[in-house]
Amino acid sequence: MESFSLQRKRSDMATVDPAFKIIPKGQACFFIWRIENLQVVPVPRESHGTFFKGDAYIVLSARDTKGALDMHAHFWIGSESTQDEQGVAAYKTVELDDYLGGAPVQHRETEGAESSLFLNYFKKKGGLTYKNGGVASGFNHVDMKMEPRLFQAKGKHVVRLTELRTIDWSSMNQGDVFILDLGSVIFCWNGKNSNRAERLQAMQRAKQVRDDRGGNANVIVIEDGEESRLSADEQQLFESKLPLKDKRNIKLESSDDARSERDAAATIKLYRCADEQDGLKVTEVKGGPLVKADLDTKDSYIIDNGPNGIWAWIGKGASNNERKEAMRNAMGFLKKKNYPDQTAVTRVIDGGESTEFKALFSKWPEPAATKGLGRTYTVGNVAKVVQTRFDAATMHHNRGLAAETQMVDDGTGKIEMWRVESFEMKPVPKQSYGQFYGGDCYLILYTYQVQNRDNYIVYYWLGHKSTADEQGAAARFAVELDDKHGGTPVQVRVVQGKEPPHFMAMFGGRMVVFEGGHASGFRNSGEKDTDGPGDTFLLHVRGTSKMNSKAVQVPCRAVSLNSNDVFVFFVKSATYIWCGKGSTGDEREMAKTVASLRPCDPVTVFEGQEKPDLWQALGGQAPYSNDKRLQEPDVVMPVRLFQLSNATGRIQVEEVNEFTQEDLVPEDVMLLDSWDTIFLWIGENSNKQERDEAEQVAFGYLRTDPSGRDSSIPVVRIKQGNEPPTFTGFFGFWNHDYWTSTLSYDAVKAHTQARNEPQRVVEKPVAGTVPTEVAKYPYEMLAKPASQLPDGVNPENREVHLLDSDFSRIFGTTYAQFVSKPAWKQRDMKKAANLF
């Protein structure tokens, strides 16, 4: 165990800053303040989303979530802000927290490494914009007059637009999108290794800038390597800032990627904090996995998740100083550990934990109606919900129920089943459907109909004692079945003991898992007893209905029994149903279904009423578990979406906060974590490496999950356009025509540039004069078809070549007055004069 002290200063928070008094207590709201001359100053709403690198900010978000306010207070640190500004932002955030009764979750945000929650605030505004400079507190304020600027655009879901210090090729790379803003013209230059989502985001930002200028700007999109396709005037304007002869200085890839990557070596640790006279004493308590019970409400703690983030948890019984100094202490801990400065630091209070905090724990039991969790999944809820029959149409109509229960229908569709034997698919006889052996692997093709259309699920089941080669063969056969049915099936990897609800429902309560492998299932009378479980075996039955029950073979000894459950005991001449005192009537009914696999009537034996011959068959009476099973409280866990990408050459994982269907990027693979199941959504334009490595990334995600979850939970592979309701139900509104109705990249590009006016590069004339540096012609020569114009005349800029006398006669104004008019007015005047 390690122990050390962190020194800290005390601050007087007796009064609240006047800037915070505008907050409507008890109501949803959103405010941003900037630290100006070490004072807290509100930021106008129209400036939300723009942050100056030389400044520090405070952001407050209060949202109404399930009838309660979910509050978050962030202090944002610009890369060029002063230590004084950072300090003011930090302690003013604590002051704000104190003013609001300690309710907000506190976050420390740094430029370029903001949390997904913070980024999501600005999603509808097109993302974040980082501008050079800041207020005059230690450095010069930047003059905000219109001047050429170069921005780097990064991010697929929420774009970060960063103003660069210089406009030159050496500041750029081929992995990102760059926006060159020249005022009347905005160039979007797309690096050849940038992705479609980033290009679309950059175009959207450029369009927003154009709209902010009343439409008086052209947006020109340039693909890397296609600069020569620009018109002569466009290319001249572009090269005035970025000469193509200097393009050789460009970097191949970005050296600073903002996407986060789960660190496979990271291990979570819990530290207890104690407020002592010489400072804060921090003592290691344990490593992961963590459970809620590890947190004592009388104390405060630091949860160390390595470079993935530091969390400070404040118990209700912690001292006032511990609560007020929590963020400062956590940042001191961060420095003591030598973690990167951009490491996220978050403070939560007992009873007000955020979704991300709860996800660090393997167990966090609480009532289902929980504040601030957003989309949640109640572990084990299927047994309470699925008790009756229902068809696929019902579940596709009620997608929320489908997602909650993980049922596409009641399992009564068509089943085809194969066993992997000698690395081939061997059909399983229909009478043996539902019978599995732990030493084997199986494939099941399930077919169900929705609106007279066949839908498919391919399950591949991996026995605990099957070999790695057999498991690999099963996965390969699943792909072959998928291809055979046009790539539309959902693929589900199922590990023995982690069968999802629908898998069990397919067999109507008759699912049995035997020991061994390459056996033939239950023997009928007269067959030899060299295969299968033999004449005498014991099955442990778990489940309350035909939709959630299975039986598993256990050693045929009395020690295998449990007073809380039901067992079916097969001997050569009889079948017994042994009912523990804690078993339920529903469980006993399901045991009868399992017993019916043998043609003789079963004998029901209640615990305590056994006859000697039963004990004798079990090898003699022996102690077994008879403790009363305590009902475990519901565990409500957040549903989280992650984007997988190998744009940088290695698979990276980025969380998407408050996700919708629009966040599913066709160019990537997405991972949806509903706690009991991992879904892999395969975008139709994802690359081969991402598709091939998706399952391995999912396993790596589970292995590095700080909650310490079992990595054998089901992994479901879904292709874009073939999403089942068990997946779409987690997304709220779902539009099945979304991707077919969405414009292609080329269509968006054409639409963006359709509003452009003809671009010309002409020296600004002296007031009242016509430019003289170009050839001049009479009106009659310039009103001809484009093919008949004099050499050197751009058909889109004919008016530039008019004689002075003709210009005044045709347009009734001077050239200087003409060019001062809006672009649309100039165009209309040229059309009327037949010069367009």
Side-chain angles (χ1 to χ4, degrees):
M1 298 292 181
E2 58 181 305
S3 176
F4 50 86
S5 295
L6 303 172
Q7 301 297 324
R8 66 211 179 221
K9 296 182 291 185
R10 307 293 184 184
S11 57
D12 182 8
M13 311 270 183
T15 59
V16 64
D17 195 293
F20 296 146
K21 292 185 178 180
I22 62 175
I23 300 170
K25 287 192 175 182
Q27 298 180 34
C29 60
F30 187 82
F31 291 101
I32 300 179
W33 298 269
R34 180 164 64 168
I35 307 303
E36 298 184 7
N37 298 317
L38 307 183
Q39 300 296 314
V40 180
V41 178
V43 174
R45 187 167 296 274
E46 58 269 20
S47 297
H48 286 186
T50 297
F51 293 83
F52 288 90
K53 299 177 184 178
D55 289 332
Y57 294 78
I58 298 172
V59 178
L60 173 68
S61 169
R63 298 179 306 160
D64 190 347
T65 305
K66 297 180 180 179
L69 279 184
D70 181 27
M71 304 182 71
H72 295 262
H74 309 253
F75 61 97
W76 183 92
I77 305 301
S79 59
E80 298 170 4
S81 59
T82 67
Q83 288 293 326
D84 285 344
E85 288 171 325
Q86 295 176 24
V88 170
Y91 85 73
K92 284 294 182 180
T93 301
V94 177
E95 183 178 311
L96 172 63
D97 176 84
D98 198 42
Y99 178 61
L100 296 173
V105 175
Q106 288 185 38
H107 306 260
R108 173 181 177 266
E109 309 282 357
T110 57
E111 178 190 326
E114 296 86 355
S115 64
S116 60
L117 175 66
F118 187 87
L119 292 174
N120 196 67
Y121 296 149
F122 308 99
K123 188 173 182 179
K124 292 183 179 179
K125 293 183 71 68
L128 299 180
T129 299
Y130 308 133
K131 289 190 174 180
N132 294 326
V135 295
S137 53
F139 43 83
N140 294 326
H141 181 69
V142 171
D143 185 0
M144 292 311 297
K145 67 182 180 181
M146 179 59 67
E147 58 184 22
R149 289 186 172 88
L150 180 64
F151 293 88
Q152 180 182 29
K154 295 177 70 67
K156 296 183 179 181
H157 300 279
V158 181
V159 69
R160 292 180 174 97
L161 207 60
T162 304
E163 183 180 356
L164 303 180
R165 283 291 178 190
T166 59
I167 302 178
D168 57 61
W169 287 105
S170 62
S171 301
M172 301 167 64
N173 67 79
Q174 294 179 315
D176 289 322
V177 177
F178 293 82
I179 297 177
L180 177 62
D181 185 358
L182 300 181
S184 62
V185 179
I186 305 167
F187 290 99
C188 289
W189 184 89
N190 299 324
K192 67 179 182 180
N193 296 322
S194 62
N195 60 72
R196 174 181 176 273
E198 290 170 330
R199 296 178 183 188
L200 289 172
Q201 287 274 17
M203 272 196 287
Q204 183 61 33
R205 291 302 296 274
K207 287 163 62 179
Q208 287 178 342
V209 173
R210 176 177 67 188
D211 293 343
D212 290 343
R213 295 173 184 165
N216 295 322
N218 284 356
V219 176
I220 300 174
V221 182
I222 310 172
E223 306 299 337
D224 187 359
E226 298 181 5
E227 293 85 358
S228 60
R229 294 189 180 184
L230 295 171
S231 70
D233 288 326
E234 290 171 346
Q235 185 167 335
Q236 183 179 343
L237 189 60
F238 182 75
E239 288 202 77
S240 69
K241 299 299 178 183
L242 293 169
L244 291 178
K245 64 181 178 60
D246 296 332
K247 189 180 177 183
R248 61 181 180 275
N249 298 324
I250 196 171
K251 301 180 183 69
L252 294 179
E253 294 291 347
S254 172
S255 60
D256 177 24
D257 200 298
R259 284 171 294 198
S260 61
E261 183 176 12
R262 289 175 72 107
D263 186 351
T267 56
I268 194 167
K269 289 186 178 180
L270 178 68
Y271 295 83
R272 180 182 289 108
C273 305
D275 193 13
E276 298 183 352
Q277 288 185 347
D278 60 344
L280 181 76
K281 184 178 181 181
V282 179
T283 305
E284 182 179 338
V285 177
K286 62 174 291 191
L290 307 179
V291 296
K292 185 180 181 181
D294 292 329
L295 303 176
D296 188 331
T297 191
K298 298 189 297 295
D299 294 324
S300 60
Y301 295 86
I302 288 176
I303 291 90
D304 178 7
N305 197 22
N308 296 314
I310 301 296
W311 299 79
W313 183 87
I314 310 301
K316 293 177 181 177
S319 71
N320 193 44
N321 278 330
E322 286 176 348
R323 182 176 64 81
K324 289 183 176 181
E325 298 291 329
M327 285 299 283
R328 190 191 304 273
N329 295 332
M331 287 186 287
F333 180 91
L334 182 148
K335 290 181 172 60
K336 193 79 175 180
K337 285 286 196 174
N338 293 318
Y339 289 148
D341 288 340
Q342 67 269 24
T343 302
V345 180
T346 309
R347 189 221 70 171
V348 298
I349 62 171
D350 188 356
E353 296 86 358
S354 64
T355 296
E356 293 78 10
F357 182 82
K358 293 174 182 178
L360 298 172
F361 292 74
S362 61
K363 290 184 179 180
W364 194 276
E366 60 186 344
T370 303
K371 181 187 84 169
L373 264 184
R375 296 183 183 88
T376 60
Y377 175 73
T378 304
V379 178
N381 206 38
V382 66
K384 301 176 182 179
V385 178
V386 183
Q387 296 290 349
T388 59
R389 295 187 62 180
F390 45 85
D391 58 20
T394 299
M395 301 310 278
H396 280 252
H397 178 71
N398 192 341
R399 294 179 299 102
L401 178 62
E404 179 74 9
T405 61
Q406 283 301 290
M407 301 285 287
V408 296
D409 64 359
D410 58 5
T412 56
K414 179 184 176 183
I415 298 173
E416 297 174 76
M417 186 171 174
W418 298 265
R419 182 175 62 241
V420 176
E421 188 174 330
S422 300
F423 302 104
E424 295 182 0
M425 289 175 59
K426 299 291 186 180
V428 173
K430 287 187 177 182
Q431 64 270 22
S432 297
Y433 281 7
Q435 298 173 26
F436 298 82
Y437 286 81
D440 290 336
C441 295
Y442 295 82
L443 292 107
I444 294 125
L445 175 65
Y446 183 78
T447 307
Y448 64 101
Q449 285 199 334
V450 180
Q451 297 179 346
N452 296 319
R453 176 177 172 267
D454 283 342
N455 290 261
Y456 304 99
I457 301 175
V458 174
Y459 291 102
Y460 57 106
W461 185 91
L462 311 177
H464 277 326
K465 296 182 180 179
S466 60
T467 66
D469 287 342
E470 289 171 330
Q471 294 178 14
R476 186 179 72 252
F477 291 141
V479 173
E480 291 180 5
L481 282 173
D482 183 288
D483 293 340
K484 181 179 178 181
H485 291 82
T488 61
V490 171
Q491 293 182 40
V492 185
R493 175 183 181 269
V494 180
V495 175
Q496 179 182 339
K498 295 293 182 179
E499 294 82 6
H502 187 261
F503 188 90
M504 292 184 284
M506 289 189 301
F507 305 108
R510 299 168 70 90
M511 179 181 171
V512 181
V513 181
F514 294 110
E515 296 177 345
H518 294 291
S520 59
F522 274 100
R523 295 177 298 104
N524 295 317
S525 58
E527 289 185 357
K528 296 181 180 179
D529 57 358
T530 55
D531 289 330
D535 288 324
T536 302
F537 54 94
L538 183 65
L539 298 180
H540 182 187
V541 181
R542 296 295 302 272
T544 58
S545 78
K546 291 184 177 181
M547 296 182 201
N548 64 9
S549 295
K550 65 178 176 181
V552 179
Q553 185 177 357
V554 293
C556 198
R557 298 193 301 272
V559 71
S560 300
L561 300 176
N562 187 311
S563 293
N564 296 293
D565 295 323
V566 180
F567 294 77
V568 179
F569 183 31
F570 294 90
V571 296
K572 189 170 184 178
S573 58
T575 301
Y576 298 94
I577 298 177
W578 185 89
C579 306
K581 292 179 180 179
S583 63
T584 67
D586 289 336
E587 289 172 330
R588 293 192 286 270
E589 286 300 312
M590 294 318 304
K592 293 178 182 179
T593 300
V594 173
S596 68
L597 295 173
R598 275 273 181 89
C600 58
D601 293 332
V603 177
T604 300
V605 179
F606 290 94
E607 184 179 7
Q609 300 178 10
E610 302 87 356
K611 294 182 179 180
D613 59 338
L614 178 64
W615 293 123
Q616 184 178 357
L618 285 170
Q621 193 169 0
Y624 54 83
S625 177
N626 57 9
D627 293 335
K628 185 177 181 180
R629 180 188 298 138
L630 297 177
Q631 183 175 359
E632 294 186 4
D634 288 340
V635 177
V636 182
M637 300 305 296
V639 178
R640 307 171 74 185
L641 181 69
F642 297 85
Q643 181 176 21
L644 313 184
S645 173
N646 71 337
T648 61
R650 64 185 186 276
I651 297 291
Q652 294 181 304
V653 180
E654 178 185 6
E655 183 166 7
V656 182
N657 198 274
E658 295 186 4
F659 56 86
T660 65
Q661 182 182 4
E662 295 179 7
D663 291 310
L664 297 173
V665 180
E667 286 73 29
D668 284 326
V669 174
M670 311 294 292
L671 184 152
L672 182 75
D673 179 2
S674 67
W675 191 258
D676 274 349
T677 303
I678 297 294
F679 296 89
L680 292 170
W681 181 87
I682 312 298
E684 62 181 11
N685 297 324
S686 57
N687 65 49
K688 186 176 186 301
Q689 181 186 357
E690 290 171 347
R691 294 194 299 271
D692 291 347
E693 296 183 8
E695 279 80 4
Q696 293 306 313
V697 172
F699 301 147
Y701 168 84
L702 288 169
R703 283 194 302 271
T704 59
D705 186 353
S707 69
R709 252 183 306 172
D710 190 337
S711 61
S712 62
I713 64 174
V715 176
V716 181
R717 187 181 179 100
I718 299 168
K719 292 184 180 178
Q720 178 183 336
N722 295 287
E723 298 84 0
T726 48
F727 175 81
T728 62
F730 290 116
F731 287 80
F733 175 75
W734 185 272
N735 178 7
H736 288 281
D737 299 322
Y738 173 71
W739 287 290
T740 57
S741 61
T742 301
L743 292 176
S744 66
Y745 167 73
D746 289 335
V748 173
K749 179 178 173 181
H751 184 265
T752 299
Q753 299 182 119
R755 292 177 53 185
N756 290 350
E757 297 294 338
Q759 187 63 43
R760 56 185 180 277
V761 181
V762 179
E763 293 296 327
K764 198 177 269 187
V766 178
T769 65
V770 180
T772 57
E773 72 277 8
V774 295
K776 303 294 182 177
Y777 300 97
Y779 169 75
E780 290 74 19
M781 293 184 65
L782 296 173
K784 292 180 179 181
S787 61
Q788 300 177 25
L789 290 175
D791 292 341
V793 174
N794 186 334
E796 297 177 347
N797 300 324
R798 305 177 196 219
E799 74 281 4
V800 176
H801 300 273
L802 274 172
L803 296 171
D804 292 357
S805 57
D806 281 352
F807 195 97
S808 299
R809 176 175 61 84
I810 297 299
F811 291 110
T813 184
T814 65
Y815 183 83
Q817 292 170 332
F818 175 83
V819 297
S820 68
K821 298 180 183 296
W824 65 267
K825 183 64 174 178
Q826 295 180 37
R827 181 187 60 208
D828 287 350
M829 292 172 69
K830 289 195 294 182
K831 285 183 177 179
N834 197 29
L835 291 175
F836 185 79

